[in-house]
Amino acid sequence: LASDLDVPITLFADVCCAIRFRDWDKASFFEPFVGQLQRAVREGHDVQLHLHPHWLDSEFRGGRFVPSASYSLGSFAHRTWPDNIPGIVERGVGLLREICVPADRGYRCVAFRAGGFCLSPGTDSILSALYHAGIRIDSSVAKGNRFASRLWSVDHRDMPQAANWFIDPAGPINTAAADGLFEIPIAAMPRTPVNNVPFLLKRVVCRHRRYESGGWPIDVGNVSYVGKVKRLFPSSAWMLGFDHYTDSVENLMRILGWHVRRQSNDTDIMCSAISHPKFMGDHSFALMRGFVERVRHVYGDNVSFCTYRDVYDELFAGRGDHDSVLTRMSA
């Protein structure tokens, strides 16, 4: 679909999962994973770093996966090489190079999205390891996003006003620096009780659109009555993406429009849209097609779709540095 729409995409590949399945199920999982990434690169798409490090501690026993509770990269801060933060990052970058260079000799791993959008705890160690490994772009932030569970938490409510900013490798992520990792956030708008009620209703009305992937997120569990009541009064953000069966093209255009208007003082606005393959079905692909067509109609020549590697080549390639759908909006 992306190729049909002439939209290059970036696959943020879950590398830690691949590392484990290379041992657990090489023929049925790892080798098809390699083939998919190589095909994407050959067809002009992009592959970049995504880490769900809990896979490194997870087990496969009695025909069942037993997931680890070490969900965030910060959980590995006090371990020894190669199971500490720098070791995991370098193993991930190394595996992507091993996979992608045969398909594109000029391939470079330069961008990162954190599993669960989680860059804490240990933010300074994570950012430093990413920068040392040649990562120059982060795309883990969605302004206003807030989430907390028994395994990890995220709070992106206090971010710089600018559309894009540099993050110092020593952190924090919410303070603009002169240089470092360039943040390309996921486009988002506030999630409020008013716009949350239609979502809750659509979860019932639109269940027929749901794509049953056969898998569940790691932190799914029974929600208490108090938790269910709290869902009516959210304090978070709607992220621009294609993998939720309650969304419509109009919903996505509202999110993008909000994000663009909030950055009206910026000449260039770089933002991303996200999707998770395990949640995507026919409705998701129709949503993606409709969104791309509507964006081109509304914004015309002021918008272009490109990859993180494209942005890296424009911003960093001439400086001598070492080694999702991305939307660049020109206001």
Side-chain angles (χ1 to χ4, degrees):
L1 174 60
S3 297
D4 290 344
L5 292 170
D6 193 26
V7 172
I9 62 172
T10 296
L11 300 176
F12 279 100
D14 187 356
V15 180
C16 293
C17 176
I19 289 172
R20 293 312 303 274
F21 273 90
R22 181 164 50 183
D23 295 329
W24 288 343
D25 191 353
K26 186 173 183 178
S28 298
F29 186 100
F30 180 76
E31 291 176 353
F33 172 86
V34 170
Q36 182 185 41
L37 299 191
Q38 290 180 341
R39 175 188 171 190
V41 171
R42 284 195 299 267
E43 293 183 359
H45 300 293
D46 191 19
V47 173
Q48 296 297 335
L49 183 65
H50 186 50
L51 296 175
H52 278 285
H54 72 277
W55 280 108
L56 301 178
D57 279 353
S58 296
E59 298 179 3
F60 186 68
R61 296 199 306 258
R64 296 186 59 187
F65 293 104
V66 183
S68 163
S70 301
Y71 184 86
S72 67
L73 195 52
S75 302
F76 295 78
H78 302 295
R79 303 196 189 187
T80 58
W81 182 275
D83 295 322
N84 57 6
I85 294 173
I88 293 171
V89 170
E90 291 206 15
R91 287 162 67 189
V93 170
L95 181 57
L96 288 185
R97 287 175 175 161
E98 175 187 327
I99 292 171
C100 296
V101 168
D104 175 10
R105 296 189 63 181
Y107 171 80
R108 299 182 80 171
C109 184
V110 296
F112 173 73
R113 175 166 291 149
F117 317 108
C118 183
L119 286 168
S120 63
T123 303
D124 54 343
S125 298
I126 295 170
L127 296 175
S128 177
L130 292 170
Y131 193 84
H132 180 76
I135 302 296
R136 292 295 178 269
I137 300 173
D138 177 70
S139 190
S140 304
V141 172
K143 292 183 178 182
N145 183 34
R146 183 188 184 197
F147 175 81
S149 75
R150 63 185 178 86
L151 296 183
W152 82 100
S153 63
V154 174
D155 191 341
H156 293 161
R157 290 177 296 173
D158 182 24
M159 292 292 126
Q161 188 66 33
N164 307 98
W165 64 98
F166 283 98
I167 301 172
D168 191 285
I173 64 172
N174 63 347
T175 300
D179 203 354
L181 288 89
F182 188 70
E183 182 62 40
I184 299 178
I186 302 157
M189 65 175 272
R191 184 170 184 165
T192 67
V194 173
N195 62 36
N196 193 51
V197 170
F199 161 75
L200 295 175
L201 293 174
K202 284 183 177 181
R203 290 184 66 180
V204 177
V205 175
C206 300
R207 287 184 67 86
H208 63 283
R209 296 175 178 171
R210 184 172 181 175
Y211 176 65
E212 300 290 351
S213 66
W216 294 94
I218 188 174
D219 205 39
V220 167
N222 294 326
V223 179
S224 67
Y225 288 112
V226 173
K228 291 178 180 178
V229 171
K230 286 182 177 179
R231 284 178 172 175
L232 298 173
F233 305 96
S235 177
S236 187
W238 295 109
M239 286 183 266
L240 183 64
F242 311 113
D243 56 10
H244 209 290
Y245 63 92
T246 64
D247 277 333
S248 66
V249 173
E250 289 71 24
N251 294 146
L252 301 186
M253 291 302 293
R254 278 194 289 271
I255 295 171
L256 180 60
W258 170 275
H259 186 86
V260 171
R261 288 191 298 272
R262 290 283 290 178
Q263 318 301 159
S264 59
N265 293 329
D266 293 274
T267 302
D268 290 322
I269 301 171
M270 300 186 194
C271 61
S272 67
I274 64 168
S275 288
H276 297 78
K278 64 186 175 185
F279 297 137
M280 291 188 71
D282 291 341
H283 176 70
S284 302
F285 293 114
L287 198 61
M288 180 179 173
R289 180 182 294 278
F291 172 77
V292 170
E293 292 172 349
R294 187 76 62 85
V295 166
R296 284 174 169 158
H297 175 74
V298 172
Y299 293 98
D301 292 338
N302 288 328
V303 65
S304 62
F305 293 92
C306 59
T307 67
Y308 290 82
R309 175 62 191 275
D310 293 332
V311 176
Y312 172 83
D313 287 343
E314 180 177 335
L315 296 180
F316 294 100
R319 295 170 44 172
D321 277 336
H322 54 78
D323 283 280
S324 133
V325 179
L326 176 67
T327 309
R328 177 167 181 169
M329 305 294 299
S330 298

